[in-house]
Each structure stands twice: as C-alpha cells, then as structure tokens.
Amino acid sequence: MRLRAFLFIPAWLVAVAAVAQRPAYGGKLKPEQANIDVRHYTIDLALNIPDRSVAGYSIVTCNLKEPATGLLLDLMDSFKVTKVTVNGKPAEFTHAHHELHITAAKAWPAGHADIRVDYSGHPMIAKRPPWDDGFTFTTDSTGHPWVAVTAEGTGGKIFFPAKDHPSDEPDEGVDMTISVPQGLVVAGPGLLVGVKTKGGRSSFHWKTNYPINNYSIVFNAGDYTVVSRTYTTIDGHTVPMQFYVLKEHAAQAPHLLEMMEHSARIKEKYFGEYPWVKEKMGLVETPHLGMEHQTMNAYGNKFHYTKIGGQDFDGLMNHEFGHEWWGNKVTAGDWADYWIHEGIGTFGDALYTRDMEGEEAYERYFQRVAPRIRNDKPIVLGKDIEEEDAYHPDIYPKGAFFMHTLRYIIGDSIFFPTLKHLATDSATTYTHTTNTAAVEKLFSSASGMDLSPLFHLFLYTTQKLEIDVRQTAPEVYTIKLLNIDMLLPLDITTSAGTSRQLVDNKKGVTISSKTMPLVDTRVFYLKKVIYE
C-alpha cells in the first residue's frame, strides 16, 4: 500500500507523492509469459552496501504449458546478466527494455523447467518510499546500515528475474538467501531456515512454502533484534509473532505486538483465521512508513499511536496487517481489480472501529468518508490494467464505502458470512486469484439478488445513485430511483419518523409527510438527491 492521498484516516495517510518513472507491472500477458506457470523462486544474492549493488543468481522453477522456443522474464536493465541456463544447459538470451528474452533453436518440451539467471548490478533507488519503489540505503541513529526494499508498483524485477504479473504467484513459495556484512540481520518472508557466517559475512536463508505475490518477495536488513510472543488463532493454531525491530527501539516493540494481537483478534472474527499459520505473524521496522509484505509487514510509523475505544491504536500497522487477508491471501489476478485489496482492506479498518466503539462510530467513519471521495474515474477501469493505472486514490475510500453500501442492502446475516466466505474459500484464496466479477457473483448468490447493477454503477462508473423526490400533492411525495434498474432499500425520514422502504426506478414509493422527506440521512449510499 503506497498510501497516496488517502484522506479520511490519520495523518500518516494524507501525503500525495509523484511516482518516479518505472517499468510497467501487470497489464496484458505476452504469449511467452502466458505459457509459463511459475512454481517456485530461488534467490541467492550478496548485498554490497557501500556499492549499493547485488550479485548472485536466481532460479525460476516453472511448468511450460506448451513446448516453447522462447521464454520471457522481467528484470530491470540496471542489472547485467552473465549467464542463463534452462534445465542445466546454457541458453541464448537478450536483455533490454527490462525484459529478459531466452531463446532456443529446439523447443523446450512442455512440463517442468528450471531457468537459472546469473546477474549483478545496481537496483533502482527509491526516491520517496513507500510511494515509489526501489532500494533504500540509509543508516539508523546509531550509524548502522539500514536497507529496505519496496516493490509494489514495479514488482519482483526490481531485484530478481520474475514473471511480473499478479495472476501468477509461485505456488510452492520462495527460497531467498541474502548475504550481508556480519553483524547485520536480514528479515524476510516465511521462516528463517538458518544463518551461515563466513569471511565476515552472514547469509540469511528465508523460506516460504505458501504462494506469495511478487511485490512481497522483499527483504530488509539492519541492526535488528527480534522481539517475540505467541499467538493462538481462532482455530487453535499456535503462530509465532516476531518483530524485527532496531535494537535502539526494542523496548517499544512488546506494546506494538500487543496491538497487533488485538488487531488479529478482530480481523479473524470477520475474515477467518490468520492465513499463514505454518509460518509467522511478522513485522519489520523500516525507514519508510510501511507496506504489506506477507508474514513480514514493513512498519515505519515510529510508534505513533492514536486512541480507538480508549486503547492505543496504530492505524498503519492495522491497515498493512489487514493485507494478510486482502492482497496476500485474497489476490486480484488483474490490477484492474485492485480495489479488492485496498477497498476491502480499508473496510476492515472501519470494522475495527465498529468493534471498539460501536455501530454509530462505524457509521460516522463512513459519513466522513463520503464527501472526500474524488469520483474522478471508475474503480474498475477495464481488464489487463497495469498497476500504475489501476492505482488511484478512490480504490481505498470508495472501495470501502461500496462494501458499506453492500452490507446495508443485503443485511448483516448474509453480508458477514459471505465476506468471510470470500476470505476463506479455496476458490478465491492462496493459489487461486479472484476478480470483481467473482465477488459480485458470490454476493449475488448468497443474497438471492442480482447485484450486477449495483456493482456496475459504483465500481465501473463515476455515477452516484440518483434519487428523485417529487411532491405530487400537498403533503404527498413520490420517491424513486433514476439511474439503476433494481429494487433498493432506502431510509426515508418523514414527519412521522424514519422507515426503511424498498424503492425502484419505475413506480417508486408514495409517502405522506408534513415536512419535506429526507433520504438516507445516515449515509449508506454515495448519492445525488433531486428535489422537484
């Protein structure tokens, strides 16, 4: 989450930053990439901090769907590729325009393939992380080197050869070994397999067996110590909680882990068990604000807390942690559906408020959100969208507000079980990506309603719901919808009080009132009310 112009929660989300030019991430798959099904990444690199460079090799283990004479991986041009082998045999290659084309005179057969790339070079330097991508080389206040990697907008090619497309995660996970000067500690995804020290350098081997999105395959290095506690999930599994925190801040880590545990309890209530029970629940302190990285969320909010429900609350930690469900476990296979990550994740932030302060506080949350939604472009812009085009400010608040609207329409007894089903069903999690059409189908099926007009209006257009209030006689009014062909509930306030009524775009409803009726005063819809 690059947190650009997200105006309705704490100040750490209000910054607007220009994003540096970078190669595309996502978009339409090229045929040479569509033929590759990535199973596993092996990354083995030495980090040279004074030179700001890396050197080593990576292996892409994949299945070829069809025989191929050409393979395509993404790797930024700032690296020099010295050798490529496929199944242990040298292969011809060209490397330009951030693409590594690998060719053969005789087709590689369909099935298993190991593509090894030996390379070295200087990764892109982040100018203003996390809003743009790259490596950050800095020092902590005690002078120790501190290195961070952010890659959400650019993908894995920022430092390793990858198939950079959200539709294809390595089903069998990643082995990542990073060598650093002895004394530094490397934090990464999954579990720490081991540390080997030789010749003044330490190599940290991190391993995840779960599928993982490319932008979560990153590492951080610094003068870290590990502060730990144990978490027992809603389903009774024991998971280690680990905070790789700078030694100078170790005393502040236990309280943040307590808050993280509290966040986990609330998120499990709505979204199901913590997704990565076989590995860890992790945080790593970073010199930038933060980013969702599977099992090792980046945290740089400097232990600045607000209060919700009278308890300390870290909005950045809570939001990024929510991506363990929305973005990491439930993943959009096309950046066009980015709102599923950020919008539903942000809706989860509102649910935290609901749990801690009640329903009225939850409603006030969205009453503050509604007027700040820009509505300058649709949430879903089509198909085969690149990350930079799909990423715009409204995917956070408008995506969250849409879930608020959906909850009102179908009711809690259907909405909350369906939301949990979306977050736990094997068809939409882990090795299976999802999209907006699948979300719509799921909620339509559960509610017994055709919700496609609602999804279309609020996600595929910039229209607001138009409601016509027409006086037809003294103290008599007709209220109907104008721009959506479905029956929707509306809270209508008259001189007699407030009642919930079902309204369509044909006859509407006729009501009596001594005063002008008010519509949806609690703000469940993004709407335009037309009084005639």
Side-chain angles (χ1 to χ4, degrees):
M1 174 184 176
R2 283 175 288 132
L3 314 174
R4 197 187 311 155
F6 186 27
L7 299 176
F8 62 96
I9 62 176
W12 50 267
L13 289 176
V14 302
V16 179
V19 177
Q21 291 295 315
R22 57 171 180 260
Y25 184 13
K28 189 172 181 62
L29 272 172
K30 298 178 176 66
E32 304 99 315
Q33 285 189 317
N35 191 41
I36 295 173
D37 174 20
V38 177
R39 308 301 299 175
H40 184 270
Y41 288 112
T42 301
I43 302 165
D44 195 324
L45 296 172
L47 177 65
N48 185 326
I49 294 176
D51 189 48
R52 298 187 171 191
S53 65
V54 297
Y57 69 90
S58 292
I59 300 172
V60 182
T61 298
C62 60
N63 286 332
L64 303 182
K65 300 173 186 177
E66 302 288 342
T69 57
L71 305 172
L72 173 59
L73 297 174
D74 301 295
L75 181 66
M76 293 188 70
D77 289 345
S78 58
F79 298 102
K80 180 181 179 180
V81 177
T82 55
K83 185 179 180 182
V84 175
T85 63
V86 179
N87 295 330
K89 296 181 179 181
E92 297 293 322
F93 65 90
T94 60
H95 183 208
H97 308 296
H98 312 298
E99 294 182 345
L100 180 62
H101 289 268
I102 306 166
T103 57
K106 181 181 179 181
W108 292 291
H112 180 91
D114 285 322
I115 308 168
R116 173 171 168 148
V117 181
D118 290 72
Y119 63 103
S120 62
H122 297 84
M124 181 170 65
I125 301 300
K127 294 182 178 179
R128 194 183 180 193
W131 293 279
D132 65 1
D133 296 329
F135 277 51
T136 298
F137 291 92
T138 187
T139 57
D140 62 24
S141 67
T142 62
H144 291 91
W146 197 8
V147 182
V149 184
T150 50
E152 186 175 4
T154 310
K157 62 180 166 289
I158 203 165
F159 77 102
F160 67 94
K163 177 184 174 182
D164 258 339
H165 199 275
S167 65
D168 194 2
E169 299 179 348
D171 301 67
E172 296 158 15
V174 175
D175 282 87
M176 181 167 63
T177 301
I178 303 296
S179 168
V180 294
Q182 186 175 351
L184 294 183
V185 173
V186 175
L191 294 173
L192 183 61
V193 175
V195 183
K196 295 181 180 179
T197 300
K198 182 179 179 180
R201 295 185 66 85
S202 297
S203 295
F204 290 76
H205 178 190
W206 285 93
K207 182 180 183 65
T208 175
N209 291 306
Y210 288 105
I212 184 171
N213 53 53
N214 281 0
Y215 64 82
S216 285
I217 305 172
V218 297
F219 65 89
N220 295 270
D223 185 34
Y224 293 130
T225 188
V226 183
V227 177
S228 302
R229 61 187 289 141
T230 300
Y231 180 78
T232 302
T233 73
I234 195 171
D235 291 342
H237 293 103
T238 300
V239 182
M241 299 180 70
Q242 297 178 344
F243 188 3
Y244 279 68
V245 62
L246 293 179
K247 290 177 181 176
E248 57 184 299
H249 298 146
Q252 300 181 71
H255 185 44
L256 188 63
L257 285 177
E258 289 174 2
M259 284 185 275
M260 190 179 191
E261 178 170 342
H262 187 66
S263 291
R265 299 281 176 218
I266 293 176
K267 293 183 190 303
E268 285 191 316
K269 171 182 174 180
Y270 293 106
F271 308 144
E273 186 180 41
Y274 175 70
W276 320 109
V277 295
K278 296 178 183 178
E279 295 183 350
K280 70 177 183 302
M281 189 181 293
L283 288 171
V284 58
E285 189 173 0
T286 56
H288 59 81
L289 269 178
M291 182 77 71
E292 70 272 20
H293 293 144
Q294 189 167 303
T295 71
M296 188 63 89
N297 283 285
Y299 174 82
N301 201 32
K302 302 182 185 300
F303 309 96
H304 292 157
Y305 309 140
T306 56
K307 295 281 187 181
I308 291 186
Q311 296 187 22
D312 284 344
F313 176 72
D314 193 308
L316 185 140
M317 179 276 293
N318 179 72
H319 180 88
E320 304 299 3
F321 181 53
H323 281 298
E324 297 287 31
W325 287 263
W326 306 106
N328 296 344
K329 184 184 182 186
V330 179
T331 306
D334 184 341
W335 286 117
D337 304 299
Y338 210 164
W339 76 275
I340 295 172
H341 298 193
E342 299 295 2
I344 303 182
T346 302
F347 180 73
D349 299 340
L351 292 178
Y352 185 96
T353 296
R354 177 178 185 258
D355 250 55
M356 294 299 294
E357 295 186 343
E359 197 70 34
E360 289 185 5
Y362 160 90
E363 290 184 13
R364 288 195 298 271
Y365 181 101
F366 283 108
Q367 289 161 10
R368 294 192 299 270
V369 168
R372 296 173 179 171
I373 295 173
R374 296 184 179 188
N375 225 26
D376 56 357
K377 63 174 70 173
I379 293 295
V380 181
L381 294 168
K383 292 184 178 180
D384 299 324
I385 304 297
E386 295 177 0
E387 194 274 351
E388 183 56 26
D389 292 327
Y391 188 90
H392 61 91
D394 274 359
I395 61 174
Y396 298 91
K398 191 176 180 184
F401 198 98
F402 176 72
M403 298 303 292
H404 172 60
T405 300
L406 188 59
R407 177 192 169 200
Y408 170 75
I409 291 170
I410 68 177
D412 288 1
S413 64
I414 297 172
F415 176 82
F416 283 120
T418 308
L419 181 63
K420 185 177 287 188
H421 181 84
L422 176 61
T424 55
D425 185 36
S426 61
T428 52
T429 58
Y430 297 118
T431 59
H432 295 96
T433 60
T434 192
N435 55 40
T436 303
V439 175
E440 182 265 299
K441 183 179 179 181
L442 176 65
F443 278 94
S444 288
S445 176
S447 64
M449 302 170 61
D450 178 8
L451 294 170
S452 57
L454 186 82
F455 274 71
H456 175 78
L457 182 72
F458 286 114
L459 298 181
Y460 291 87
T461 82
T462 58
Q463 297 179 56
K464 296 182 178 181
L465 179 65
E466 294 181 0
I467 305 167
D468 184 74
V469 180
R470 184 186 299 264
Q471 186 169 13
T472 56
E475 299 185 0
V476 178
Y477 300 84
T478 297
I479 300 174
K480 68 178 181 178
L481 310 178
L482 296 180
N483 62 340
I484 191 169
D485 187 13
M486 68 179 296
L487 197 64
L488 290 178
L490 286 178
D491 283 359
I492 300 173
T493 302
T494 68
S495 56
T498 300
S499 63
R500 175 170 166 146
Q501 306 216 27
L502 291 174
V503 183
D504 63 13
N505 66 335
K506 296 176 178 65
K507 291 184 179 181
V509 296
T510 299
I511 61 170
S512 299
S513 180
K514 296 179 181 179
T515 58
M516 178 70 74
L518 301 177
V519 179
D520 187 41
T521 58
R522 289 159 63 191
V523 193
F524 294 107
Y525 292 102
L526 297 176
K527 63 187 181 294
K528 179 193 296 184
V529 182
I530 301 168
Y531 288 94
E532 298 184 83

